[in-house]
Amino acid sequence: KKGPKGSRAKVISQLRETQKQAEQASQSYASPPSSPKNPRTPGLLSHDTTNQCIEFFFAHMYPTMPVLDRKQVDQRWADVDRSFEAYCLLSALSAFMMIQPGINQEPYRSGNRSPSPSTNPALGVLFMEEAVRVRKRIDYVENPTVAAVITSFFLFGCCFGLNKHNTAWLHLRDATALAQLLGMQEESTYASGDPMENELKRRLFWLLFVTESNLGRAYALQKHRPLTLHATIVLPIHDLEPSNPIAGFCHLVNLYRPFDDVFVGLWNKTRSDCSTFWLSQMQQQLNEALPGYLDTRESQAADLRTSQQWLRTIVWQLCIANGHLSSSSPDASMTFTYPIQIAKDLVAVTSQFSQQSMEIHGIGLIEKVFDVTCTLIDVMSCVPIDATNFEIGPLDYLTQLIRLISTLRSGESRYMPLVIAKIQETLPGIASSIIQTLDLKMPPHPDGRQLAVDAEKRLSSTSSSASSAYSTPPFMHYFPMA
């Protein structure tokens, strides 16, 4: 019997290797006994737990990930005892909801036994490992489905939230390979079939595209791993539910579309056709990508606005790596001090959002704020800062960004100690005053007097700083250019 040939065979071979590596990279967690015919853990995927996770997804995550239909999900739950695929999908979704946004959930109990982990991430790991283990009973490579793609995507999100980036990348590659096997990258795939099913598949393709361009881009840039999806189909255009518009999702896609193989090649220096004009056009495109008013949910607006400022920082880093910045450029985005403007804009937009609307996006949003903050610190260490007693400036933006990092998820992420260490290393002259100002036990001052105090500290601490200009600042400490 002849097997698949051509590109399909290549993708299947690559997918099988990805699965093998994912199993080797994953840690093993103790699982309760299960019969060979029924590998499910008895009592783990309870109705109450699953329903809470489903409700949370559609209430908070759906605008950014509009790839599931509520009626279909309810049908999946009805089939969960008969379908390993449905069981794995709902297990992965539940795990993702507990690890990424971190919803509140009590540990399950089956009879007199309860699992030892009781925190949300630990309970989420149990669901994640359950999905991975039971999924081995499904031949989803030879028989790929949309549910298999979504399951791999949720597993990717779980591993990313757990800081297991190698395993996360493998699950992301798993999802994109399955999508390619289903032909999601070809417009002809959507020419026939159920319109609602096609719309959800189209959204799923673009969600994977954005994810690969967003988080996968980090892997491609730092680990020289290639991108696999490209902007080959049209954007989704239909709102399946009036209460869940997808305009914001399309804005998100448009933000990331410019970050393709050309950009990755320039970053990795496998291409050299980079010009000041092209980089300036990218910055202009990013600046104009979002309208002044976003008719979206607050959580989606928080993600869009934060991502926009982060992407402006990424392009600026490419500018500095290729020597396209100038202190005398009439284009502000092509100057050494542009990250100060980016930080100012990020402080302005994030001040409009509630803490919950930002925390829903998990560690990914915190990481973006951290990126912008570290770039600002590097610029402040190299660019002379004209400090005055009453003018709000870079130090004030830095203070607000660090305060934001310390506030999101109560500062429990790994980024808070990293940013403090970077300040102490890069800005030793003002590190102590920043840390003292950021006494988070003290409530924020309701008026502008604290800004004056901060400005006075800044003036005294930077009065002896060197004021000479520089040609090329040092590469970003946390973001090597090569």
Side-chain angles (χ1 to χ4, degrees):
K1 182 180 179 180
K2 296 183 179 180
K5 297 181 179 180
S7 59
R8 179 180 173 87
K10 182 178 180 181
V11 171
I12 291 178
S13 176
Q14 180 187 52
L15 187 54
R16 284 174 172 160
E17 179 62 24
T18 296
Q19 288 178 271
K20 181 180 178 181
Q21 295 178 41
E23 292 176 8
Q24 294 173 346
S26 299
Q27 296 181 356
S28 296
Y29 291 82
S31 300
S34 56
S35 67
K37 293 184 179 180
N38 183 15
R40 304 175 180 88
T41 300
L44 177 59
L45 199 66
S46 68
H47 179 270
D48 290 343
T49 298
T50 307
N51 186 65
Q52 182 180 355
C53 292
I54 293 172
E55 291 287 348
F56 190 93
F57 175 86
F58 282 99
H60 301 285
M61 307 302 292
Y62 180 88
T64 305
M65 306 173 182
V67 296
L68 291 174
D69 176 70
R70 182 58 193 265
K71 293 181 180 179
Q72 291 181 353
V73 172
D74 290 340
Q75 183 60 47
R76 290 284 182 180
W77 174 250
D79 297 337
V80 75
D81 291 332
R82 300 183 297 271
S83 169
F84 285 158
E85 182 177 73
Y87 185 84
C88 292
L89 173 63
L90 294 176
S91 296
L93 185 152
S94 299
F96 181 55
M97 291 302 96
M98 294 178 188
I99 293 171
Q100 172 79 339
I103 68 174
N104 294 322
Q105 180 58 259
E106 294 296 326
Y108 85 101
R109 286 176 170 80
S110 178
N112 295 325
R113 185 185 59 80
S114 63
S116 56
S118 59
T119 60
N120 288 339
L123 185 57
V125 167
L126 285 179
F127 282 94
M128 178 185 72
E129 291 296 319
E130 178 81 356
V132 171
R133 184 173 58 83
V134 176
R135 202 181 192 202
K136 295 176 182 178
R137 298 297 188 94
I138 308 172
D139 190 5
Y140 62 90
V141 175
E142 287 294 341
N143 303 286
T145 63
V146 173
V149 179
I150 299 175
T151 300
S152 292
F153 174 78
F154 285 149
L155 292 175
F156 154 77
C158 291
C159 293
F160 180 83
L162 294 170
N163 199 29
K164 298 172 64 174
H165 291 295
N166 286 338
T167 310
W169 183 80
L170 290 170
H171 282 303
L172 179 60
R173 179 55 59 88
D174 194 27
T176 58
L178 289 170
Q180 289 174 316
L181 288 175
L182 291 170
M184 290 187 187
Q185 75 280 14
E186 300 172 359
E187 187 62 38
S188 59
T189 299
Y190 309 91
S192 59
D194 182 80
M196 185 182 74
E197 293 286 346
N198 285 336
E199 178 66 15
L200 290 173
K201 285 194 296 185
R202 189 182 296 276
R203 295 179 184 185
L204 180 56
F205 171 86
W206 284 112
L207 175 61
L208 293 174
F209 173 89
V210 168
T211 303
E212 192 177 50
S213 299
N214 181 358
L215 305 178
R217 182 207 60 79
Y219 302 141
L221 299 185
Q222 296 175 9
K223 304 294 185 181
H224 295 264
R225 294 168 179 168
L227 302 177
T228 59
L229 299 183
H230 307 278
T232 54
I233 64 173
V234 301
L235 291 173
I237 56 175
H238 302 293
D239 289 340
L240 299 182
E241 300 179 31
S243 60
N244 287 312
I246 63 166
F249 180 72
C250 292
H251 285 315
L252 190 65
V253 172
N254 286 326
L255 268 180
Y256 286 97
R257 289 186 76 165
F259 296 85
D260 52 13
D261 284 334
V262 174
F263 186 91
V264 172
L266 291 171
W267 187 287
N268 288 333
K269 298 190 181 299
T270 58
R271 300 178 62 115
S272 58
D273 51 335
C274 182
S275 68
T276 301
F277 176 77
W278 182 81
L279 292 166
S280 177
Q281 287 294 105
M282 281 203 70
Q283 289 286 18
Q284 182 177 351
Q285 185 175 351
L286 283 172
N287 290 337
E288 299 173 353
L290 300 179
Y293 172 74
L294 287 171
D295 187 16
T296 65
R297 295 185 184 183
E298 183 187 14
S299 60
Q300 195 171 22
D303 182 38
L304 287 168
R305 297 296 188 193
T306 303
S307 297
Q308 182 183 38
Q309 306 312 318
W310 175 67
L311 290 171
R312 291 168 69 191
T313 301
I314 294 298
V315 175
W316 182 87
Q317 290 180 5
L318 183 62
C319 293
I320 197 172
N322 287 273
H324 288 287
L325 298 182
S326 170
S327 57
S328 59
S329 174
D331 183 351
S333 68
M334 304 306 292
T335 64
F336 296 116
T337 59
Y338 192 54
I340 298 176
Q341 180 61 48
I342 296 174
K344 177 182 179 181
D345 294 342
L346 182 59
V347 168
V349 297
T350 54
S351 65
Q352 303 172 16
F353 304 123
S354 66
Q355 182 175 335
Q356 181 187 15
S357 70
M358 292 183 281
E359 288 183 339
I360 281 175
H361 301 286
I363 201 67
L365 185 140
I366 301 174
E367 187 174 45
K368 291 173 184 177
V369 177
F370 172 81
D371 286 7
V372 175
T373 304
C374 286
T375 304
L376 174 63
I377 293 171
D378 283 316
V379 169
M380 290 176 64
S381 70
C382 300
V383 175
I385 304 300
D386 182 17
T388 62
N389 284 334
F390 300 102
E391 182 179 351
I392 298 176
L395 183 57
D396 305 298
Y397 310 142
L398 177 60
T399 300
Q400 292 303 315
L401 290 176
I402 297 175
R403 193 185 303 278
L404 177 61
I405 295 173
S406 68
T407 301
L408 295 176
R409 296 201 168 184
S410 302
E412 295 178 354
S413 75
R414 61 186 179 275
Y415 295 108
M416 191 61 196
L418 284 176
V419 75
I420 293 299
K422 184 168 179 65
I423 292 174
Q424 293 173 327
E425 175 186 350
T426 310
L427 301 172
I430 60 175
S432 60
S433 64
I434 294 177
I435 295 174
Q436 183 178 2
T437 302
L438 286 171
D439 183 1
L440 300 177
K441 296 179 181 180
M442 298 293 292
H445 290 260
D447 53 34
R449 288 178 293 176
Q450 183 63 33
L451 290 179
V453 173
D454 294 345
E456 185 175 353
K457 291 180 180 178
R458 179 173 71 249
L459 182 61
S460 62
S461 61
T462 58
S463 59
S464 59
S465 300
S467 59
S468 58
Y470 64 96
S471 55
T472 303
F475 292 146
M476 304 298 106
H477 180 70
Y478 289 100
F479 304 95
M481 297 297 174

